[in-house]
Amino acid sequence: MQRPYEGLSVVEAVTGAPYGALRLAAAMTGRIFADLGAHVVQVIDDSGRFDASPAPENGAIDRFLSARKSVVRGDISNPEFTSRLLRESDVAILDQQAQRAIGADALPKHIALLTLFSGRQADTAGPASEFTISALGGLLNMVGDPDRAPLRLGGHQEAYALGLSAFCGLAGLLAGKRSAHEALTVRASLLDTVVWLNWKAVPLDGDAPIPPGRSGPAAEWQVVRCADGWVALVYQEPDWPHLCDMVGDHRLRQERFATRQHRLDNLVELAEIVESAFLSRTRQQIHQQASLLRLPLGPVWNPGEVIADPHNVERALFEKLSQFPGESHSVHAPRLPVLWNGVSLSAQPESGPATIAVGQS
């Protein structure tokens, strides 16, 4: 089957430290294009400004983001190096430092420009991490105990969301009917992406009250213990009778829990009652019971359990990548979570990331 972007040439050229937010975002953008058939060249900044030796825990990240790509190493800020790569490309994914160093004349007509900030702050070159941007965008104020320090999201969700944003912008640009000579730029910032992800916490009215955040024990939805872990206690107003049936504790049917407002006034006691019932049940048992009653309770799984989950296995959500020589552990990667004309596209590369000489395909 021909993939939708076969014949398209894409180059990732983002400067900065390995595993920085913009480099991860660019790699995610390129990974989606690669899964959809494009020839993607991932340029690893090997200028010596940063320690390029990957930590052991980052090996799976490299495998995941480099699948189906060709990989080259060099100084991205050296225009003689990058212009040769970009001469025959259709799309480039860049940061501002790379864009300035390469120059407009050497760039393809379609580019995605990734930044940490946007607007007047887009040129800000100060150090900032995904954690910094999450704090500025309000994500760290969503959940947690107000008496504890905020916790960062697991993995690199912010950077990957930026990568998806850049891909969507480029996909729309490539699908548009425009002049063959028209040069267009997709601009995507990490802060804008985080604010969009956290849109419910952004007041639309200047006089609106600040949304509550990090409510801890006062939050309507709690995470409670069970026999072998934790379960997120999530339910809507119509779900309350079913939750009472599932928990099986007569105290939940008392007057102090009869309405939503009553339950909000007695949140701590409500969570204690549910938790006391769940302590004798496993996550799997709770999940099965909740599914029968159509309750959106969320067991907290670890990565291995997510990969082995029967539903995810049936949907082929994860694929096992071919092991490289000398590797002792298998690496699983999620397949592209969309269908193309009703067909699921595999994330499995025909071979590992290829190292190529500059100017060769």
Side-chain angles (χ1 to χ4, degrees), residues 24-48:
L24 291 171
M28 174 57 75
T29 305
R31 168 62 199 271
I32 300 174
F33 271 115
D35 277 358
L36 292 173
H39 174 62
V40 179
V41 177
Q42 183 183 52
V43 183
I44 303 299
D45 190 12
D46 200 20
S47 59

Side-chain angles (χ1 to χ4, degrees), residues 325-344:
E327 283 189 338
S328 57
H329 301 288
S330 60
V331 174
H332 288 79
R335 66 169 174 81
L336 198 66
V338 296
L339 300 179
W340 190 269
N341 292 334
V343 177
S344 171

Side-chain angles (χ1 to χ4, degrees), residues 100-112:
R100 294 191 187 102
I102 296 167
D105 293 340
L107 293 175
K109 65 177 183 177
H110 297 326
I111 70 172

Side-chain angles (χ1 to χ4, degrees), residues 289-321:
Q289 293 167 354
S291 297
L292 290 174
L293 294 171
R294 303 184 65 85
L295 285 168
L297 303 189
V300 180
W301 307 117
N302 63 44
E305 291 168 331
V306 171
I307 292 173
D309 177 74
H311 177 78
N312 292 339
V313 171
E314 180 67 23
R315 300 288 294 177
L317 180 59
F318 297 94
E319 292 182 308
K320 184 177 178 180
L321 300 181

Side-chain angles (χ1 to χ4, degrees), residues 21-22 114-118 121-122 124 126-130 133 162 188-192:
L22 298 187
L114 307 184
T115 59
L116 292 174
F117 303 95
S118 62
Q121 285 75 42
T124 300
S129 65
E130 292 169 273
I133 303 298
L162 173 60
S189 86
L190 186 60
L191 181 57
D192 283 349

Side-chain angles (χ1 to χ4, degrees), residues 9-11 13 39 41 43 72-76 78-90 101-103 105-108 356-361:
S9 176
V10 179
V11 173
H39 174 62
V41 177
V43 183
V72 299
R73 293 181 176 274
D75 185 354
I76 292 178
N78 182 348
E80 294 183 3
F81 167 73
T82 47
S83 61
R84 285 180 290 171
L85 286 174
L86 294 167
R87 189 174 299 125
E88 302 298 328
S89 65
D90 301 303
I102 296 167
D105 293 340
L107 293 175
I356 62 173
V358 176
Q360 297 181 358
S361 60

Side-chain angles (χ1 to χ4, degrees), residues 163-185:
L164 177 59
S165 298
F167 168 77
C168 291
L170 287 169
L173 185 154
L174 293 168
K177 296 181 180 179
R178 298 180 174 89
S179 167
H181 302 288
E182 186 177 5
L184 295 170
T185 298

